[in-house]
Each structure stands twice: as C-alpha cells, then as structure tokens.
Amino acid sequence: MYEFEYVKPGSLDAAKSAIAGAEDGKLMAGGMTLIPTLKQRLASPSDVVDLGGLGDLAGIRKDGDSIVIGAMTRHADVAASADVKAAIPALADLAEGIGDPQVRNRGTIGGSIANNDPAADYPAALVALGATVRTTKRELAAEDFFTGMFETALEDDEIITEVVFPTAEKAAYAKFPNPASRYAIVGVFVAKGSSGVKVAVTGAGPAVFRVPEMETALSGNFSADALKGISVSADDLNSDIHAGADYRAHLVGVMAQRAVKAAG
Amino acid sequence: MANVTMTINGKQVSGEVESRTLLVEFLRDQQRLTGTHVGCDTSQCGACVVHVNGDSAKSCTMLAVQADGADVTTIEGLANGDDLHPMQAAFRENHGLQCGFCTPGMIMSAIDLVKNNADPSETEIREWLEGNICRCTGYHNIVKSIKAGAEAMRG
C-alpha cells in the first residue's frame, strides 16, 4: 500500500472541506473495497477521508411510507433492522447475503453504492424499489445515480448522506452468488410498487440495468410463468472466469423467476 | 506517522503507526500479539478475525488508525488465566482443528455468532463461517465445536 494522509473528520462539514481540499482524495466508508484496492496498489490517493467518525450518517428510520437508511449504516444493521424487515423484508434479505459476517459488520450502504461495483447487490435494490440517493449537494433518483461500471453521478467532493426507499407491495431479491466471494454473478431484484413493476439486474452487465420486457409481462400477470420465454441478450453482458455472457443471460431469466416466486 | 491509542484485551496501548499500517500489523508486529494470523491477506480467509467494539472484523482489512479509540479483543484476550474460554475449550474437546492456523479466526468469528444467535443450527453455523476458510478439516468438527461452544456459553 502506498502511504497517504489519513483524515477522520468529526462532522459532515469537516468531511466536505477535507475532500474538497485534498489533491487527490478518496472517501472511505467501511473500507471493504477501498482497503483491498489500496493493498493491491490499484489506487494511490493523496488523502483518505475516513467517514467512520460521522455517527449521524448511520441509522435507519421510517418516514411515512419510506425507509430512510443513513449512508454509513452497515449491512449487518440493515439485515437486523426490525423496521426494514417489516417494511421491505427483501432489502433485509439482500443485506444479509452480502459478503460474509465480517464484511457486513463494516461495509456500508453508502460505500457500496458509491463504489458501484457491477457485481454489488445494493444497486439492484435501489433501482427496482425506485430509491432516492440524498447527498451533500442534491437528491438523485437511483437510475440517474448509477451511470456505468464503477461510475456514479457523484462529483468528487460530493458525499452521500442517506438513501430513501419507498416500500413496495411485493419485492424479492434472488442472487446466484460467486461461491467464493458471494458477489452476484447475477442478481435480480423484482419489486411491485406504486410506480409499477420494476426488474433490476446486477452482476450481469457493466452496471445495474432494468428489463422492460419482463416489467411489462409482470405488470399484466405477476407470476413466474409470465416470464417464461422472455430472454435477455448476451451482447452487452460480462464474461469472466466465473461465467460467460450467455450463461449470465440465462441466469437473468432464472433469477427473475425465482425472485417473482419469492415475492409471492 | 500517527499516534493511536486503543484498548486491547482490556489493556490500553498506544503506538506510532503509518496511515497505511493495517490493524493486524499493529497487533502482530508492534504489540507482539501473534495469535491473530494472516492467511490470505485479501479479506477472504478470516484467519485475522478479531473483535472491534464487540463485532468481528477482519484485521487485515482495517487500518490501525481506524481502530484509534476502539476496544479490540484478540484470541489472546479470551482465556481467563489457565481457564480457556468455553469456545476455545469446545474446539479442543471436539478436535476442531488440525494444523490450527485458521483456529484463532474461527473462534473469534464463532463467539460473534453466539453473541447474535445463542443457539445456532448447523446450517446457521455453516452460513456464518462464509468468511472463515479451513484447508484441513472439511469443517465438520469445527461446526461440532461451535455447537458445543455455544451450548457451554449458554451455561
């Protein structure tokens, strides 16, 4: 690991100035991706601004029909939250399936979505549930937030503060995990909410994407049978040592059907 | 260089570290607490699991500076003199190890499981061990040990 300046601000304002003032700064939430990346010398930021001191950014609350999750809330806390389990059980299930217990004890929702790993779980939930990402500068709809592989709409000095999840009438997440890392080879989040049915896929492509054909089919008939015969093109999907694009395309159909069944 | 102060196994310690010093390096190299092992050094194997403020964490994937002010427990902090912690005793009784390299991490992880789930089923134990890799045992006796350890911890 290359050496860097380490800063641990005690307030959001201090964090904003620290990242704005750094030559090539990097924000760190739980560090579950950043620290391995630094260890491999794949990144060499001048400054690491640790958000671990911002207790105000951690926590879960109900706000009308929505669940609001602070950016520094750990996966373990989302998985164990009675509010999340009651309002959006699929989201608690998703959090429970991320990585391993030690990753869930430190990794955060804000860190995960800011990183936007193509195989991360949370992006599928945000897009399918129609979540809103609140930052120090603005509010962004999930679909506008995730822009590409490891890319988001965030500016360099913009910090995620919380994520607002509208509750859904029905929702479930089905994932085919890499057996070693538990990252999604393919994960499909299906939600039926006030804005209709949404099907969001992670792991398969460069970034999370929706499958409009499945959404239309499910809008008429919310059952796994409605998805039979709908296939996703392998053209833009990922191929790596874990799975080829054709196999991922196949898994999108299988996982979508499983998610619909689980959503009931 | 930064000065860090933390409580390790009930004792307050301080030391000078670089920003990039990992918690496991601080524990092993500076505090000479070599019971915490480094296996893969890529956050997968769990040989380096310790407790930070009561929760299990992989100390190879934490900076020492992040643990400034924290309460850290390592495998050395479990026994009470010659009396092993019930989970340590259960691993010994049930032959929960062969080479022993993964054992400190297994035990630290297992105690965190029991904190969250006092009576875990075999399936729950196996799922919880997602982040702990053993290359000797096939896990069978580790699972048995954790079941017995959980029972002993319930008292």
Side-chain angles (χ1 to χ4, degrees):
Chain A
M1 201 184 311
Y2 297 110
E3 183 61 334
F4 49 82
E5 260 327 292
Y6 172 84
V7 200
K8 191 173 184 178
S11 72
L12 193 54
D13 281 342
K16 284 196 295 197
S17 357
I19 194 67
E23 186 191 331
D24 180 20
K26 192 84 189 155
L27 296 166
M28 177 166 72
M32 293 295 96
T33 299
L34 181 60
I35 293 174
T37 306
L38 294 173
K39 285 169 77 172
Q40 292 179 73
R41 296 192 165 178
L42 294 172
S44 53
S46 62
D47 298 65
V48 169
V49 179
D50 183 0
L51 303 176
L54 307 182
D56 290 353
L57 292 193
I60 299 168
R61 65 174 202 275
K62 284 201 284 191
D63 184 6
D65 278 342
S66 297
I67 291 284
V68 183
I69 302 180
M72 287 297 290
T73 310
R74 307 174 311 162
H75 309 321
D77 296 322
V78 175
S81 161
D83 283 340
V84 178
K85 281 183 186 171
I88 318 173
L91 190 58
D93 287 348
L94 176 146
E96 181 71 35
I98 297 173
D100 59 46
Q102 289 72 41
V103 167
R104 296 195 290 273
N105 277 342
R106 295 203 58 82
T108 68
I109 187 168
S112 172
I113 64 173
N115 189 47
N116 195 18
D117 189 303
D121 298 297
Y122 269 126
L126 266 73
V127 169
L129 290 165
T132 302
V133 181
R134 288 190 179 138
T135 76
T136 44
K137 299 189 174 189
R138 55 195 161 146
E139 293 197 350
L140 284 153
E143 280 191 80
D144 301 328
F145 178 84
F146 301 109
T147 53
M149 188 179 272
F150 293 109
E151 295 289 335
T152 68
L154 287 172
E155 292 167 18
D156 288 345
D157 59 347
E158 187 171 13
I159 302 173
I160 301 167
T161 54
E162 56 191 19
V163 184
V164 184
F165 289 95
T167 52
E169 186 192 323
K170 290 178 177 184
Y173 180 60
K175 140 161 112 161
F176 193 86
N178 176 314
S181 70
R182 297 284 151 183
Y183 271 107
I185 288 177
V186 167
V188 179
F189 201 109
V190 174
K192 184 180 182 186
S194 53
S195 58
V197 176
K198 284 185 189 160
V199 177
V201 179
T202 190
V208 60
F209 63 89
R210 285 170 62 187
V211 189
E213 206 182 341
M214 288 184 176
E215 295 177 353
T216 308
L218 292 171
S219 300
N221 171 17
F222 195 85
S223 75
D225 285 345
L227 296 178
K228 291 206 170 122
I230 299 178
S231 59
V232 171
S233 162
D235 285 352
D236 296 322
L237 301 189
N238 302 336
S239 276
D240 54 27
I241 57 165
H242 307 299
D246 287 347
Y247 183 49
R248 279 191 161 88
H250 171 71
L251 282 178
V252 172
V254 175
M255 292 300 118
Q257 291 188 36
R258 284 190 193 169
V260 171
K261 267 186 203 151
Chain B
M1 298 292 276
N3 193 276
V4 292
T5 301
M6 63 188 85
T7 305
I8 301 176
N9 301 329
K11 194 176 112 196
Q12 200 178 72
V13 303
S14 296
E16 286 279 315
V17 296
E18 289 186 309
S19 298
R20 62 181 165 179
T21 303
L22 298 170
L23 177 58
V24 71
E25 294 169 338
F26 181 71
L27 293 172
R28 287 178 57 85
D29 302 343
Q30 293 196 29
Q31 300 302 316
R32 309 308 293 169
L33 293 168
T34 53
T36 302
H37 292 165
V38 179
C40 68
D41 204 13
T42 54
S43 20
Q44 298 177 68
C45 80
C48 66
V49 171
V50 299
H51 294 177
V52 178
N53 296 328
D55 292 328
S56 58
K58 291 183 172 171
S59 60
C60 84
T61 312
M62 249 190 100
L63 304 171
V65 283
Q66 284 180 287
D68 189 28
D71 189 0
V72 176
T73 306
T74 70
I75 189 75
E76 290 92 343
L78 294 183
N80 183 7
D82 288 340
D83 294 332
L84 291 180
H85 184 283
M87 191 60 78
Q88 290 175 304
F91 269 70
R92 190 170 71 171
E93 287 300 312
N94 293 279
H95 201 118
L97 59 143
Q98 285 182 30
C99 86
F101 193 85
C102 71
T103 313
M106 287 286 176
I107 290 176
M108 298 312 287
S109 188
I111 292 170
D112 193 24
L113 165 65
V114 176
K115 183 190 79 181
N116 291 297
N117 180 353
D119 188 10
S121 68
E122 182 182 333
T123 306
E124 287 168 334
I125 293 170
R126 288 183 182 276
E127 282 175 358
W128 185 267
L129 292 182
E130 175 59 39
N132 292 86
I133 294 174
C134 169
R135 295 291 79 157
C136 302
T137 68
Y139 302 94
H140 189 74
N141 283 356
I142 292 176
V143 174
K144 209 167 121 189
S145 303
I146 294 175
K147 248 202 142 342
E151 193 182 337
M153 283 170 71
R154 289 197 301 276

